[in-house]
Amino acid sequence: MTEPRRIAVVPAYNEEPTVRDVLGKLYGYVDELVVVDDGSTDGTRGEVERFMAGRDGARLLVHETKSYLLPLVLMLSIPFTILG
């Protein structure tokens, strides 16, 4: 039987001051880390890109403008967390 994978989806909007700390603490616990930048206007994307450089299993999805998809991303990630 295949071992279940642990995937974290992290929504981010203007989280420049804290995003690297959060990702650093989470990265070691998951098999895949997906950050969804929902149109941040600060340096969030740059911080995430610097964190992800050279790390396997880390992806960044970017919306250039605020798309209000974060609630949808969170809602869709709940079944995966529960079914895990």
Side-chain angles (χ1 to χ4, degrees):
M1 178 177 226
T2 304
E3 195 65 29
R5 296 188 63 214
R6 295 164 296 177
I7 302 170
V9 178
V10 180
Y13 179 74
N14 290 345
E15 300 292 340
E16 181 181 11
T18 59
V19 72
R20 285 184 70 138
D21 282 343
V22 170
L23 299 179
K25 290 175 182 174
L26 184 59
Y27 183 75
Y29 293 101
V30 298
D31 300 308
E32 185 172 354
L33 179 60
V34 179
V35 178
V36 181
D37 180 3
D38 197 27
S40 292
T41 57
D42 64 356
T44 298
R45 184 188 313 180
E47 289 296 316
V48 172
E49 288 171 340
R50 282 185 285 283
F51 174 83
M52 291 185 170
R55 287 188 167 92
D56 292 329
R59 290 191 293 156
L60 172 61
L61 304 176
V62 176
H63 296 110
E64 295 299 328
T65 58
K66 182 88 173 129
S67 65
Y68 301 96
L69 285 177
L70 289 180
L72 177 62
V73 167
L74 289 173
M75 184 175 59
L76 292 175
S77 67
I78 290 171
F80 294 107
T81 303
I82 294 170
L83 298 175

